[in-house]
Amino acid sequence: MPKHKFEDFAIDISIKKNLERKGYTKPTQIQDEAIPHILEGRDIVGLANTGTGKTAAFLLPLINGVYTKKTGQILVLTPTRELALQIEEEFTTFARGMNLASVVCVGGTPITPQIRKLRNYNHIIIGTPGRVIDLMKRGRLKLEGVRSVVLDEADRMLDMGFINDMRFILERVPKDRHTLCFSATMAPAIEAIVSDFLNDPVKVSVKTRDTAKNIDQDVVRIGGRDKVDILIEHLTHDDFTRVMVFGRTKHGVEKLSKSLNKRNIRTESIHGNKSHGQRQRALKRFKDGEVTALIATDVAARGLDINDVTHVINFDLPETYDDYVHRIGRTGRGDKMGKALTFVG
């Protein structure tokens, strides 16, 4: 049970009103434990899975700082453009009516509009490491004004090969900064970043186990039958209303999506060969309930925050245990129940 209510935190009334408008009264565990430390200006290592409310855990106190104390700019580094856009969406909600500006600097989208936005002062810069470095090298993104840095889903950035980019950026942010690192796991490379760049951090852990207790996990034995037929049998059940299906390759995911659509199962696909616009449209249709299933590769689905996913289906086996944990964590979020099925042999 949380020790605080949002109204107990020493944050500006404007933020509290925005929380009230969203119907937020009780913080999640990570918010309850992290927000007081961040408000005090302490560096934090937050061990938390996606779906625990960690975005609000860092945004609320940091928004409070830039609004009430003019504490300088915030830089949030994140593994994927989808996650960057979701963080901006939450920032806009929490900072409504407070006249605070944001910019998203991510790859896979045209750089010119980002350069244009960077001409103005932005209270928060949210970006993927590659594009952030590109803009820095072009002299368009200057970090002298940054006083708070958030490494969000640091383990995913590590998985995606961004470890040296993270170091490059952190070395160029002023030393007198506030640094927050959130990760589901603490790999040695993340430990090294923490010891090199964080100052006496408080450790906040809400990871009780790798897989959420409210996800019912099961296997589906194929036994020589056609996998697509078995998938269709499941997707036509009434309770399979919002399903994420994971495949191993971009080509396989696209082929499976087309095959299902031909057989009157409404799906969208999301993978590395899709443009940013195509991904966003696919996500929107899935979130809006226009399609039953979103067929995805691991990399494309990293960092996605989609509410009310009823089922996750591992159509192809994941490469690693971490990938399995990440995939099934798309369902059973918060206090909702979810089901994960894995197709085997």
Side-chain angles (χ1 to χ4, degrees):
M1 281 292 290
K3 295 195 279 288
H4 308 92
K5 291 181 179 166
F6 281 120
E7 64 195 40
D8 301 335
F9 294 128
I11 54 178
D12 192 83
I13 189 70
S14 305
I15 301 171
K16 287 180 179 173
K17 280 184 176 162
N18 286 333
L19 285 166
E20 219 173 277
R21 199 179 278 122
K22 284 284 285 183
Y24 293 173
T25 52
K26 280 196 295 212
T28 65
Q29 192 185 342
I30 186 90
Q31 293 160 5
D32 191 47
E33 293 186 31
I35 288 173
H37 293 302
I38 301 171
L39 286 168
E40 285 171 6
R42 294 290 305 271
D43 284 6
I44 287 262
V45 175
L47 279 176
N49 294 330
T50 48
T52 51
K54 65 183 165 54
T55 306
F58 64 76
L59 280 180
L60 295 171
L62 293 180
I63 290 169
N64 186 70
V66 295
Y67 186 64
T68 61
K69 302 184 188 130
K70 310 289 184 273
T71 48
Q73 290 172 297
I74 304 160
L75 172 66
V76 181
L77 292 178
T78 187
T80 65
R81 54 193 171 191
E82 283 80 16
L83 185 54
L85 290 164
Q86 284 167 7
I87 292 168
E88 188 187 42
E89 207 176 292
E90 289 205 45
F91 174 82
T92 306
T93 300
F94 298 142
R96 183 176 163 183
M98 296 167 72
N99 205 22
L100 299 178
S102 60
V103 60
V104 172
C105 302
V106 293
T109 57
I111 201 165
T112 312
Q114 295 172 17
I115 289 170
R116 202 176 302 124
K117 267 199 121 173
L118 286 166
R119 288 183 193 140
N120 302 321
Y121 184 84
N122 292 282
H123 298 86
I124 186 167
I125 302 147
I126 307 158
T128 47
R131 178 55 63 90
V132 165
I133 289 175
D134 187 355
L135 287 160
M136 286 166 67
K137 287 181 171 171
R138 291 172 187 234
R140 302 296 188 169
L141 174 54
K142 297 181 170 56
L143 302 181
E144 301 90 75
V146 171
R147 290 295 176 274
S148 300
V149 177
V150 182
L151 305 174
D152 191 25
E153 303 215 347
D155 51 335
R156 292 286 151 209
M157 290 197 276
L158 172 66
D159 288 349
M160 293 168 78
F162 287 137
I163 193 76
N164 292 331
D165 291 350
M166 288 155 72
R167 286 185 163 278
F168 180 91
I169 295 163
L170 287 167
E171 281 160 4
R172 285 154 183 80
V173 178
K175 295 274 186 289
D176 58 335
R177 62 163 181 265
H178 189 189
T179 312
L180 315 173
C181 176
F182 289 87
S183 189
T185 56
M186 283 304 280
I190 304 293
E191 296 267 15
I193 286 248
V194 167
S195 68
D196 290 350
F197 294 103
L198 274 71
N199 176 30
D200 187 25
V202 178
K203 196 169 184 182
V204 177
S205 176
V206 299
K207 265 182 74 72
T208 48
R209 48 190 279 185
D210 284 336
T211 55
K213 59 184 178 296
N214 44 344
I215 302 173
D216 180 16
Q217 300 170 61
D218 209 347
V219 296
V220 175
R221 301 208 172 273
I222 303 303
R225 293 178 59 206
D226 186 288
K227 266 168 90 173
V228 179
D229 288 344
I230 294 173
L231 180 60
I232 289 170
E233 278 173 27
H234 282 88
L235 293 177
T236 48
H237 287 181
D238 287 348
D239 56 336
F240 283 67
T241 52
R242 186 171 290 182
V243 187
M244 285 196 74
V245 179
F246 282 94
R248 191 175 293 128
T249 65
K250 295 181 272 199
H251 173 71
V253 158
E254 189 59 28
K255 188 176 162 195
L256 178 59
S257 178
K258 283 179 173 158
S259 170
L260 291 169
N261 280 318
K262 274 184 193 153
R263 293 167 73 172
N264 297 320
I265 305 275
R266 291 172 307 144
T267 74
E268 280 285 354
S269 63
I270 181 165
H271 52 74
N273 284 351
K274 293 236 161 169
S275 71
H276 175 65
Q278 288 171 319
R279 287 188 194 202
Q280 288 305 112
R281 278 192 295 278
L283 268 179
K284 185 172 187 322
R285 292 194 70 212
F286 185 58
K287 284 180 174 178
D288 292 350
E290 290 176 35
V291 296
T292 304
L294 183 67
I295 322 292
T297 54
D298 288 300
V299 170
R302 286 212 170 119
L304 292 185
D305 191 5
I306 301 162
N307 292 330
D308 305 326
V309 172
T310 57
H311 296 75
V312 166
I313 296 177
N314 293 306
F315 185 79
D316 293 326
L317 288 172
E319 298 273 332
T320 65
Y321 174 68
D322 271 357
D323 283 340
Y324 175 75
V325 169
H326 177 71
R327 285 179 179 189
I328 73 167
R330 306 296 96 200
T331 187
R333 292 162 85 84
D335 54 2
K336 298 228 169 55
M337 289 302 296
K339 181 145 184 139
L341 300 172
T342 301
F343 287 8
V344 294

